[in-house]
Amino acid sequence: MSRKSNPFRLGLFIIIGMLLFVSVLAILGAGKIFERSVKMETYLNESVNGLEVGSPIKFRGVKIGTVSHIGFVTDHYVDLGHSALRYVYLLGDLNHKMFKTKEGRDLVAALKREVDRGLRARPVSLGLTGQLFLEIDYVDPAKNPPLEITWKPKHLYVPSAPSMMSRVESAVASISDTLEDINKANIADAIEDVREVAQNLSTFLKNADTGEISKHLTGTLDEAEKFITRINQLLAAPEVDNLMPDVAAAARNMRMVMENSSGDIVAAMKDIRKASASAKNVTGGMEEYLSGPKGKQTLADLSKTLNNISEASDRIKGAAARFESTLSRVNMTVAGQQGNIEAILDNVRRLMENLRELSSEAKQYPAGVLFGDPPKKGSSGE
């Protein structure tokens, strides 16, 4: 006969087991729960097959964090319909303890400078398993420029570099394209063309007068030798040695002038461009004005004004001719009456002298001028 089970003992056993299980989980995972982390993000323009959430992030072989999220930049920064960027978005949790070291603090404080020096993140294979981890290390910045982005990253950003597998695939694709181009090219036809050229050259040499060709070649070589000899003589002259430093100094001075005045030249070119644009605008406005009704009326008025000016000029010419004729007659009249004019002037001069004497006497004897001479004095007896 089977023993009857005790529900109380069974329930107590289950509760104690659950408490023990929760305690083990708390002990093992407490460090992970309360561990602080630094968020880092990067973007890859290649396949990340083999890289998973939880894959390690290493800096020069030292594990500093794990991958926490894998997605696309279209889910975080750009619109799928308005941008052609299709980068893979990677977000990682970096261990805060690693950044308490001197190298970790310097890395965060001078991240931009380190990026300029070549700090990059790239997927690296763990071996033959195909698993990947994210490695942060220094590469040649000239050969690994950062990807183009049009947004400001929300977290600590480290640009990416192509992985070794991606480089191998690119090299294989390049070799394949080159081989395909070679296959497309008709090498047999090219070889046949070369053979035909060689045959034509051989036929020409057989049929041509080799003596005449040799004579021409000899003459050409002699002329070339004379020319080279003359150049050597010119270069050996002492004047050339004195001239070369002057030429070098002139070149340096010219370079200095160009470097110092480059800004002025650029400004002058900009001013010339602006003046040309202004002149073009003025010319366009003038053409538009002249083609309008006001411009046509202005041209008509200008034509009338020019005609009036021409008529006035003709009248001025006639008036000048008449004035010249009047002057001629005046000159002739003055020449004819010169004697009479001289007599009149003589009489006027005498009249002035008489008036002067009269005024002098009037000052001395005013009564005599008005009433005549004074009475003569009588003898003392009368």
Side-chain angles (χ1 to χ4, degrees):
M1 187 173 178
S2 62
R3 182 181 298 180
K4 187 176 180 181
S5 61
N6 191 342
F8 175 75
R9 293 180 179 178
L10 180 62
L12 183 61
F13 176 77
I14 294 174
I15 292 173
I16 293 173
M18 291 295 296
L19 290 175
L20 290 175
F21 180 72
V22 171
S23 299
V24 170
L25 290 179
I27 293 172
L28 295 178
K32 297 293 183 180
I33 294 173
F34 298 103
E35 187 180 53
R36 290 186 299 171
S37 62
V38 177
K39 297 292 184 180
M40 184 212 75
E41 63 181 81
T42 187
Y43 322 111
L44 298 174
N45 193 21
E46 59 179 279
S47 174
V48 292
N49 187 24
L51 189 68
E52 299 176 352
V53 174
S55 297
I57 300 176
K58 297 182 179 182
F59 175 60
R60 290 190 166 182
V62 180
K63 183 179 178 181
I64 61 173
T66 57
V67 177
S68 61
H69 176 72
I70 300 176
F72 296 96
V73 296
T74 52
D75 299 331
H76 299 273
Y77 292 112
V78 297
D79 187 3
L80 184 63
H82 296 84
S83 176
L85 301 180
R86 299 294 183 269
Y87 301 150
V88 177
Y89 175 82
L90 293 181
L91 182 64
D93 291 332
L94 304 182
N95 189 354
H96 185 267
K97 294 180 180 179
M98 300 302 299
F99 292 92
K100 292 182 179 179
T101 63
K102 184 177 185 301
E103 182 148 2
R105 291 195 301 269
D106 294 341
L107 179 65
V108 174
L111 182 63
K112 187 177 186 305
R113 184 177 68 249
E114 300 301 318
V115 168
D116 294 337
R117 290 177 53 191
L119 186 67
R120 299 289 187 272
R122 59 182 178 180
V124 178
S125 176
L126 283 172
L128 300 177
T129 59
Q131 295 294 322
L132 299 179
F133 70 92
L134 193 64
E135 182 186 39
I136 300 177
D137 205 343
Y138 292 91
V139 297
D140 187 0
K143 296 181 180 179
N144 299 275
L147 294 176
E148 177 188 0
I149 60 175
T150 58
W151 59 88
K152 183 179 180 180
K154 299 177 181 177
H155 307 289
L156 185 67
Y157 171 59
V158 178
S160 65
S163 63
M164 185 61 67
M165 185 60 66
S166 175
R167 293 179 185 276
V168 171
E169 290 177 355
S170 299
V172 171
S174 178
I175 294 172
S176 176
D177 294 339
T178 303
L179 293 176
E180 186 176 357
D181 294 338
I182 293 174
N183 290 330
K184 289 181 180 180
N186 198 341
I187 300 178
D189 293 342
I191 295 174
E192 186 64 28
D193 293 337
V194 173
R195 186 182 293 111
E196 185 177 355
V197 171
Q199 290 177 356
N200 293 333
L201 182 60
S202 177
T203 303
F204 172 75
L205 293 175
K206 288 179 180 179
N207 297 330
D209 188 356
T210 55
E212 188 68 21
I213 294 175
S214 177
K215 185 186 296 184
H216 286 300
L217 288 176
T218 303
T220 304
L221 291 175
D222 291 338
E223 293 293 334
E225 185 176 0
K226 291 178 181 178
F227 179 71
I228 294 172
T229 302
R230 189 172 180 182
I231 290 177
N232 290 331
Q233 291 175 356
L234 291 174
L235 293 177
E239 292 82 359
V240 176
D241 296 335
N242 297 329
L243 182 63
M244 293 306 293
D246 296 337
V247 173
R252 287 195 298 270
N253 294 332
M254 182 62 71
R255 183 180 301 171
M256 292 176 61
V257 170
M258 292 301 293
E259 290 176 355
N260 294 330
S261 61
S262 59
D264 297 335
I265 293 173
V266 172
M269 293 300 294
K270 291 182 179 179
D271 293 339
I272 291 173
R273 189 180 295 112
K274 291 180 180 179
S276 176
S278 300
K280 186 182 294 184
N281 294 332
V282 171
T283 304
M286 184 65 71
E287 291 180 354
E288 183 179 358
Y289 175 76
L290 292 177
S291 61
K294 293 183 179 179
K296 293 180 180 179
Q297 183 64 33
T298 302
L299 290 176
D301 297 338
L302 181 61
S303 177
K304 293 179 180 179
T305 303
L306 292 176
N307 291 331
N308 295 332
I309 291 172
S310 178
E311 293 176 359
S313 177
D314 294 337
R315 295 194 194 97
I316 289 171
K317 290 180 180 178
R322 291 192 296 272
F323 182 69
E324 185 178 0
S325 177
T326 303
L327 289 178
S328 298
R329 289 196 297 271
V330 169
N331 290 331
M332 292 175 62
T333 303
V334 171
Q337 301 294 329
Q338 187 174 2
N340 297 330
I341 292 172
E342 290 178 354
I344 293 171
L345 292 175
D346 188 33
N347 294 330
V348 170
R349 185 168 49 255
R350 291 177 180 178
L351 178 62
M352 293 299 293
E353 290 177 356
N354 294 331
L355 289 174
R356 190 179 298 112
E357 292 177 356
L358 181 61
S359 63
S360 177
E361 292 178 356
K363 289 179 181 180
Q364 295 178 2
Y365 308 107
V369 174
L370 296 175
F371 304 105
D373 294 334
K376 296 180 179 181
K377 294 180 179 181
S379 62
S380 58
E382 297 180 356

